[in-house]
Amino acid sequence: MSCLIACLYTSSQLAPLSLPPLSPPPPLPSSSPTLLLDKRLPANGVSTKKQLKPFAPTVTTKNLSSDPSSYKTPNSSFQISPQNPSPTKMAHDHSDSVFTNITRAPEDPILGVTVAYNKDSDPSKLNLGVGAYRTEEGKPLVLNVVRQAEQKLVNDPSRVKEYLPIVGLADFNKCSAKLIFGADSPAIQENRVATVQCLSGTGSLRVGGEFLAKHYHERTVYIPQPTWGNHPKIFTLAGLSVKSYRYYDPATRGLDFQGLLEDLGNAPSGAIVLLHACAHNPTGVDPTIEKWEQIRQLMRSKALLPFFDSAYQGFASGSLDADAQPVRMFVADGGECFAAQSYAKNMGLYGERVGALSIVCKTADVASRVESQLKLVIRPMYSNPPLHGASIVATILKDSNLYNEWTVELKAMADRIISMRKQLLEALQARGTPGDWTHIIKQIGMFTFTGLNSEQVAFMTKEYHIYMTSDGRISMAGLSTKTIPHLADAMHAAVTSMA
Ligand code: PLA
């Protein structure tokens, strides 16, 4: 199990708290999806000093039996015998499969943590991998406003299950643009925003990426180092070339602002820049508003195109408006800008896959032509988006009572995460765990970038059944007052015994 975790992709390697540096990752197998990305990077390095760490999947066939008769099909009472060799026998005979030579893909670096967690039968196990909110009781939460909105939808007999238009639900799109850009945004009033409903944040990024690859003159997108592990894959597969800009300084566990300005300053004019709107994943480090203003000025002076990923609006500060401020600063200057929104976290609609892509343009005419082209991206991809999640969001955003209730529930989730930060820091301080842990309360959003290295993470998984990504990121939203002592014990043991 720990091997599986240790093999997961490390989006960044922090300086170990008290350990010698790790040995370099193993070489990439030729099937690695990020090889494509690496090939696109110039051999002599990019404008950033730190390259993206390569994805280092390990192919393991150790547990696969070579005896096909040992494979069980669920609920199957069918016995393979020499007298009765088919059709199961044929189905189990791998030698003539057209996929005989297929290699086993590694689990996803984040979602694979849940796969490993699910296989663990220890009662004290704890999943701090994926960023999914849990209650104090460790249970998934369906917001009360979501239940109410669903009830309203179910009780409305006029509702049907027809296809949505290619761009999605009109009300949802309008409300989503207002949520991110502000209800009084001049860009919205002047019809300069093209918004399309997409499959959550991921789908919005992908549609935006494909649109840019098809219609924009500059094919390079700069992503922060480190960033959410899916970003380089999404943009590479969309047809863009991915480079990184410095973002995080492991020495200060804060923003590498100088590095960021230098790298964006050296980016070619017109390059696309992916920015986390708030609650940067995985570091939990956001620029201050003053620094955002400097970033904005630099980007506009070089005509760099901002592409905001807004997956945590409301989760950083507890305020939807405060968390959208960086995006609004870029819209207020009249320039163009992309925003990918997700309702997975802030409305707890993870599995409903509901999100939006907005492109702010200079004129209404351009926005309308942009929308017409977005339809050509979406139609052959998934034709049109799903109805249910978008209907829930639109019901909540259109009704002032539900909206107000939502903001209260959202603030309660954000506050619980902040309280988990304080409790974890206190628990480590009470144990006298070596090192400065105050970054736990300085970072914001769903995650703490602990500074634990992949060996320490593997140790915590093996000895304490605590699951997290190998870069030392923990989902604070998965913790509770009850589980913090267990985590603090594990962190203390990892830091002290592996020093
Ligand atoms: N952008 C960022 C920065 C994210 O962290 C995530 C989700 C998304 C977009 C996409 O979310 P969505 O498609 O579900 O709307 N990151 C999670 C889950 C919470 C994941 O990896 O899929 C994470 O644990 O990092």
Side-chain angles (χ1 to χ4, degrees), residues 146 148-164 169-172 197 352 385-396 398:
V146 168
Q148 288 180 58
E150 283 188 314
Q151 206 54 60
K152 262 180 125 174
L153 295 171
V154 167
N155 292 344
D156 179 355
S158 70
R159 285 182 52 81
V160 290
K161 302 284 186 190
E162 291 293 283
Y163 288 131
L164 279 176
L169 194 64
D171 276 350
F172 166 84
Q197 181 192 332
E352 297 292 354
L387 177 64
H388 188 66
S391 306
I392 296 171
V393 173
T395 305
I396 293 170
K398 274 182 353 191

Side-chain angles (χ1 to χ4, degrees), residues 108-111 129-132 199-205 227-231 234 274 276 278-282 309-312 340-345 349-351 353-355 446-447 469 473 475:
D108 181 81
I110 296 174
L111 303 183
V130 67
L199 305 185
S200 213
T202 308
S204 307
L205 291 164
T227 192
W228 180 47
N230 220 10
H231 279 148
I234 291 170
L274 189 280
H276 294 229
C278 68
H280 181 274
N281 177 10
D309 181 353
S310 176
Y312 300 95
Q341 283 170 272
S342 166
Y343 290 95
K345 271 69 71 174
L349 294 174
Y350 305 89
R353 312 307 295 142
V354 54
M446 233 171 179
F447 304 107
T469 52
R473 184 193 86 166
S475 170

Side-chain angles (χ1 to χ4, degrees), residues 426-434 484-486 488-490 492:
E426 282 163 18
L428 290 171
Q429 286 172 340
R431 282 160 181 77
T433 309
I484 277 181
H486 183 53
D489 286 346
H492 186 82

